[in-house]
Amino acid sequence: MYKILIVEDDSIIAGTLKNHLCQWGFEVRCIVDFKNVLEETADFAPHLILLDIILPFFNGFHWCQRIREFSKVPIIFLSSASDNMNIVMAMNMGGDDFIEKPFDLNVLTAKIQALLRRSYSFQGNVNVIEHQGLLLNLSDATVLYEGEKIDLTKNEYRILQCLMERAGKIVSREDIITKLWEDDSFIDDNTLTVNMTRLRKKLDKAGLSDLILTKKGIGYLLKE
């Protein structure tokens, strides 16, 4: 089932879209907190986004550009502001299509289906994990926090992935080492300690102090 995220502050339009798309078999979520569009996008991991231009706090151009920093998810702009400048801006920010309001729901559905076919016929889904605003993209191994990329080594990335996949739960040192060995990263207990220290320093520099907690004699977990 394809998942569609609706970023639209008009509750009537958003509700109408959600009801219609659910009838077509899509899983649909509507943004309600317009300050945390990135976090909700990462949490829901949609296959397609319907994005209005005029929104509270930041406009759709801003959010499209920010989403493009970590995801190639198809984005369709929906807006009554359909002059050429807005259409050009929408495409330049990373949009895939632009539909003028008011629109026919059946035409919109046809465009959604066509874009989904083009986007996913020959590629896997973009997979993103989010925790405390930290975004980890499994499709291209990038890590972002507040729009800034954090450069990690292969081992540091794998350690962070292991912890983020089990956020809030203690992950033993043995489990982390086993995961790294499975990925052909041959490390021992001492090497894990070195990598963990380096990872913590990079997260701290990015503004994520004490994100990784140590449970002495047991393992590690991410701070909630």
Side-chain angles (χ1 to χ4, degrees):
M1 179 185 294
Y2 285 112
K3 298 191 291 185
I4 297 178
L5 181 67
I6 299 173
V7 189
E8 165 65 68
D9 64 324
D10 186 315
S11 59
I12 295 177
I13 294 176
T16 300
L17 281 170
K18 181 176 181 178
N19 291 336
H20 176 78
L21 293 173
C22 285
Q23 291 175 3
W24 279 88
F26 295 108
E27 181 181 349
V28 184
R29 179 186 294 186
C30 297
I31 291 286
V32 293
D33 183 356
F34 291 92
K35 288 183 179 179
N36 294 306
V37 173
L38 289 187
E39 287 78 4
E40 289 207 45
T41 300
D43 177 66
F44 188 51
H47 298 94
L48 183 142
I49 297 175
L50 299 177
L51 179 61
D52 191 14
I53 292 179
I54 302 174
L55 297 166
F57 306 108
F58 299 100
N59 63 30
F61 299 139
H62 169 85
W63 290 122
C64 183
Q65 189 174 35
R66 293 296 307 277
I67 290 168
R68 281 289 171 261
E69 293 173 356
F70 66 91
S71 175
K72 297 179 181 179
V73 60
I75 297 174
I76 297 178
F77 276 90
L78 305 175
S79 179
S80 56
S82 59
D83 57 273
N84 289 339
M85 182 60 69
N86 277 318
I87 295 174
V88 170
M89 181 70 76
M91 298 301 105
N92 286 340
M93 290 297 103
D96 297 279
D97 205 343
F98 190 107
I99 298 179
E100 181 181 359
K101 295 178 182 178
F103 47 81
D104 184 285
L105 287 172
N106 292 319
V107 172
L108 174 62
T109 303
K111 283 181 171 286
I112 288 172
Q113 291 172 329
L115 185 53
L116 287 171
R117 285 195 300 271
R118 292 198 302 270
S119 301
Y120 298 104
S121 293
F122 304 104
Q123 67 184 51
N125 299 342
V126 175
N127 197 354
V128 179
I129 304 175
E130 185 273 338
H131 182 78
Q132 298 283 349
L134 182 65
L135 303 174
L136 189 147
N137 192 329
L138 300 178
S139 64
D140 60 8
T142 56
V143 182
L144 293 170
Y145 181 67
E146 294 186 345
E148 298 296 326
K149 184 177 180 181
I150 303 174
D151 292 317
L152 302 179
T153 65
K154 179 181 177 182
N155 282 347
E156 292 163 356
Y157 176 86
R158 294 297 186 189
I159 292 169
L160 183 60
Q161 177 187 350
C162 188
L163 293 173
M164 290 183 70
E165 287 176 340
R166 297 165 65 178
K169 299 179 180 179
I170 299 174
V171 184
S172 70
R173 294 177 65 89
E174 292 76 15
D175 284 350
I176 297 174
I177 290 173
T178 299
K179 180 176 178 62
L180 294 175
W181 272 72
E182 289 173 351
D183 292 322
D184 296 324
S185 298
F186 304 110
I187 73 169
D188 56 20
D189 195 69
N190 289 332
T191 308
L192 174 59
T193 299
V194 172
N195 278 270
M196 188 65 74
T197 300
R198 290 175 178 170
L199 173 59
R200 280 173 156 156
K201 287 182 179 179
K202 291 181 179 180
L203 293 176
D204 181 69
K205 185 177 179 180
L208 288 161
S209 301
D210 301 320
L211 179 65
I212 301 175
L213 304 178
T214 299
K215 292 299 180 181
K216 192 171 182 179
I218 305 176
Y220 306 93
L221 81 160
L222 293 187
K223 181 174 65 177
E224 292 287 2

